[in-house]
mmCIF file of all heavy atoms in Angstrom:
data_model
loop_
_atom_site.group_PDB
_atom_site.id
_atom_site.type_symbol
_atom_site.label_atom_id
_atom_site.label_comp_id
_atom_site.label_asym_id
_atom_site.label_seq_id
_atom_site.Cartn_x
_atom_site.Cartn_y
_atom_site.Cartn_z
ATOM 1 N N ASP O 670 -22.260 15.185 15.287
ATOM 2 C CA ASP O 670 -22.157 13.644 15.412
ATOM 3 C C ASP O 670 -21.134 13.278 16.472
ATOM 4 O O ASP O 670 -20.180 13.955 16.776
ATOM 5 C CB ASP O 670 -21.525 13.123 14.036
ATOM 6 C CG ASP O 670 -21.785 11.727 13.831
ATOM 7 O OD1 ASP O 670 -22.495 10.977 14.631
ATOM 8 O OD2 ASP O 670 -21.240 11.147 12.919
ATOM 9 N N ASP O 671 -21.255 11.973 16.917
ATOM 10 C CA ASP O 671 -20.460 11.420 17.987
ATOM 11 C C ASP O 671 -20.357 12.314 19.144
ATOM 12 O O ASP O 671 -19.157 12.510 19.667
ATOM 13 C CB ASP O 671 -19.026 11.056 17.382
ATOM 14 C CG ASP O 671 -19.174 10.202 16.163
ATOM 15 O OD1 ASP O 671 -20.172 9.333 16.174
ATOM 16 O OD2 ASP O 671 -18.201 10.098 15.340
ATOM 17 N N TYR O 672 -21.293 12.996 19.585
ATOM 18 C CA TYR O 672 -21.174 13.814 20.721
ATOM 19 C C TYR O 672 -20.825 13.187 21.948
ATOM 20 O O TYR O 672 -21.236 12.106 22.305
ATOM 21 C CB TYR O 672 -22.484 14.685 20.924
ATOM 22 C CG TYR O 672 -22.454 15.670 22.035
ATOM 23 C CD1 TYR O 672 -21.775 16.951 21.884
ATOM 24 C CD2 TYR O 672 -23.004 15.355 23.407
ATOM 25 C CE1 TYR O 672 -21.694 17.853 22.859
ATOM 26 C CE2 TYR O 672 -22.768 16.341 24.321
ATOM 27 C CZ TYR O 672 -22.131 17.572 24.081
ATOM 28 O OH TYR O 672 -22.154 18.426 25.080
ATOM 29 N N GLY O 673 -19.861 13.820 22.708
ATOM 30 C CA GLY O 673 -19.300 13.217 23.917
ATOM 31 C C GLY O 673 -17.937 12.619 23.720
ATOM 32 O O GLY O 673 -17.216 12.316 24.735
ATOM 33 N N ALA O 674 -17.652 12.350 22.428
ATOM 34 C CA ALA O 674 -16.256 11.639 22.198
ATOM 35 C C ALA O 674 -15.192 12.660 21.774
ATOM 36 O O ALA O 674 -14.075 12.294 21.502
ATOM 37 C CB ALA O 674 -16.383 10.636 21.081
ATOM 38 N N LYS O 691 -26.137 13.937 18.331
ATOM 39 C CA LYS O 691 -26.120 12.407 18.225
ATOM 40 C C LYS O 691 -25.167 12.024 19.239
ATOM 41 O O LYS O 691 -23.944 12.134 19.063
ATOM 42 C CB LYS O 691 -25.609 12.046 16.771
ATOM 43 C CG LYS O 691 -26.498 12.245 15.789
ATOM 44 C CD LYS O 691 -26.204 11.598 14.446
ATOM 45 C CE LYS O 691 -26.278 10.094 14.454
ATOM 46 N NZ LYS O 691 -26.059 9.450 13.136
ATOM 47 N N ILE O 692 -25.627 11.138 20.257
ATOM 48 C CA ILE O 692 -24.817 10.663 21.298
ATOM 49 C C ILE O 692 -23.893 9.656 20.716
ATOM 50 O O ILE O 692 -24.416 8.774 19.990
ATOM 51 C CB ILE O 692 -25.606 10.158 22.571
ATOM 52 C CG1 ILE O 692 -26.662 11.246 22.969
ATOM 53 C CG2 ILE O 692 -24.800 9.620 23.629
ATOM 54 C CD1 ILE O 692 -27.612 10.641 23.963
ATOM 55 N N ASP O 693 -22.617 9.579 21.148
ATOM 56 C CA ASP O 693 -21.610 8.686 20.606
ATOM 57 C C ASP O 693 -22.152 7.277 20.975
ATOM 58 O O ASP O 693 -22.459 7.001 22.119
ATOM 59 C CB ASP O 693 -20.302 8.931 21.041
ATOM 60 C CG ASP O 693 -19.230 8.146 20.487
ATOM 61 O OD1 ASP O 693 -18.928 8.195 19.282
ATOM 62 O OD2 ASP O 693 -18.729 7.234 21.123
ATOM 63 N N GLN O 694 -22.074 6.326 19.980
ATOM 64 C CA GLN O 694 -22.583 5.004 20.334
ATOM 65 C C GLN O 694 -21.750 4.341 21.336
ATOM 66 O O GLN O 694 -22.296 3.274 21.972
ATOM 67 C CB GLN O 694 -22.407 4.177 18.987
ATOM 68 C CG GLN O 694 -21.128 4.014 18.406
ATOM 69 C CD GLN O 694 -21.137 3.350 16.977
ATOM 70 O OE1 GLN O 694 -22.014 2.590 16.704
ATOM 71 N NE2 GLN O 694 -20.231 3.668 16.109
ATOM 72 N N SER O 695 -20.589 4.618 21.714
ATOM 73 C CA SER O 695 -19.857 4.011 22.800
ATOM 74 C C SER O 695 -20.556 4.132 24.138
ATOM 75 O O SER O 695 -20.427 3.188 24.938
ATOM 76 C CB SER O 695 -18.426 4.549 22.917
ATOM 77 O OG SER O 695 -18.403 6.037 23.253
ATOM 78 N N PHE O 696 -21.261 5.114 24.421
ATOM 79 C CA PHE O 696 -22.098 5.379 25.488
ATOM 80 C C PHE O 696 -23.340 4.482 25.395
ATOM 81 O O PHE O 696 -23.840 3.827 26.510
ATOM 82 C CB PHE O 696 -22.541 6.747 25.710
ATOM 83 C CG PHE O 696 -21.326 7.725 25.898
ATOM 84 C CD1 PHE O 696 -21.004 8.578 24.847
ATOM 85 C CD2 PHE O 696 -20.529 7.711 27.068
ATOM 86 C CE1 PHE O 696 -19.901 9.465 24.941
ATOM 87 C CE2 PHE O 696 -19.436 8.550 27.124
ATOM 88 C CZ PHE O 696 -19.049 9.488 26.133
ATOM 89 N N ILE O 697 -24.018 4.349 24.301
ATOM 90 C CA ILE O 697 -25.277 3.603 24.189
ATOM 91 C C ILE O 697 -24.991 2.152 24.403
ATOM 92 O O ILE O 697 -25.719 1.406 24.949
ATOM 93 C CB ILE O 697 -25.837 3.914 22.804
ATOM 94 C CG1 ILE O 697 -26.006 5.441 22.573
ATOM 95 C CG2 ILE O 697 -27.175 3.063 22.659
ATOM 96 C CD1 ILE O 697 -26.983 6.053 23.692
ATOM 97 N N ARG O 698 -23.928 1.622 23.833
ATOM 98 C CA ARG O 698 -23.637 0.151 23.894
ATOM 99 C C ARG O 698 -23.361 -0.292 25.299
ATOM 100 O O ARG O 698 -23.338 -1.563 25.387
ATOM 101 C CB ARG O 698 -22.501 -0.239 22.852
ATOM 102 C CG ARG O 698 -22.872 0.008 21.388
ATOM 103 C CD ARG O 698 -21.863 -0.309 20.502
ATOM 104 N NE ARG O 698 -22.175 -0.292 19.176
ATOM 105 C CZ ARG O 698 -21.388 -0.279 18.115
ATOM 106 N NH1 ARG O 698 -20.086 -0.397 18.266
ATOM 107 N NH2 ARG O 698 -21.909 -0.273 16.716
ATOM 108 N N VAL O 710 -25.598 9.582 29.474
ATOM 109 C CA VAL O 710 -26.672 9.641 28.436
ATOM 110 C C VAL O 710 -27.882 10.452 28.872
ATOM 111 O O VAL O 710 -28.386 11.140 28.224
ATOM 112 C CB VAL O 710 -27.115 8.288 27.970
ATOM 113 C CG1 VAL O 710 -28.244 8.238 27.085
ATOM 114 C CG2 VAL O 710 -25.860 7.440 27.300
ATOM 115 N N VAL O 725 -30.382 12.264 19.278
ATOM 116 C CA VAL O 725 -30.294 10.977 18.609
ATOM 117 C C VAL O 725 -29.398 10.095 19.301
ATOM 118 O O VAL O 725 -28.238 10.485 19.651
ATOM 119 C CB VAL O 725 -29.884 11.205 17.102
ATOM 120 C CG1 VAL O 725 -29.813 10.071 16.353
ATOM 121 C CG2 VAL O 725 -30.867 12.368 16.448
ATOM 122 N N GLU O 727 -27.304 6.706 18.621
ATOM 123 C CA GLU O 727 -26.857 5.669 17.683
ATOM 124 C C GLU O 727 -26.074 4.408 18.403
ATOM 125 O O GLU O 727 -25.707 4.618 19.391
ATOM 126 C CB GLU O 727 -25.889 6.326 16.600
ATOM 127 C CG GLU O 727 -24.676 6.994 17.144
ATOM 128 C CD GLU O 727 -23.832 7.584 16.166
ATOM 129 O OE1 GLU O 727 -23.950 7.276 15.062
ATOM 130 O OE2 GLU O 727 -22.848 8.423 16.535
ATOM 131 N N GLY O 728 -26.232 3.305 17.611
ATOM 132 C CA GLY O 728 -25.637 2.178 18.258
ATOM 133 C C GLY O 728 -26.578 1.438 19.060
ATOM 134 O O GLY O 728 -26.118 0.587 19.981
#
Side-chain angles (χ1 to χ4, degrees):
D670 196 12
D671 300 335
Y672 183 75
K691 289 190 73 173
I692 305 174
D693 187 70
Q694 58 185 330
S695 62
F696 300 108
I697 304 301
R698 289 176 176 170
V710 174
V725 180
E727 58 179 343

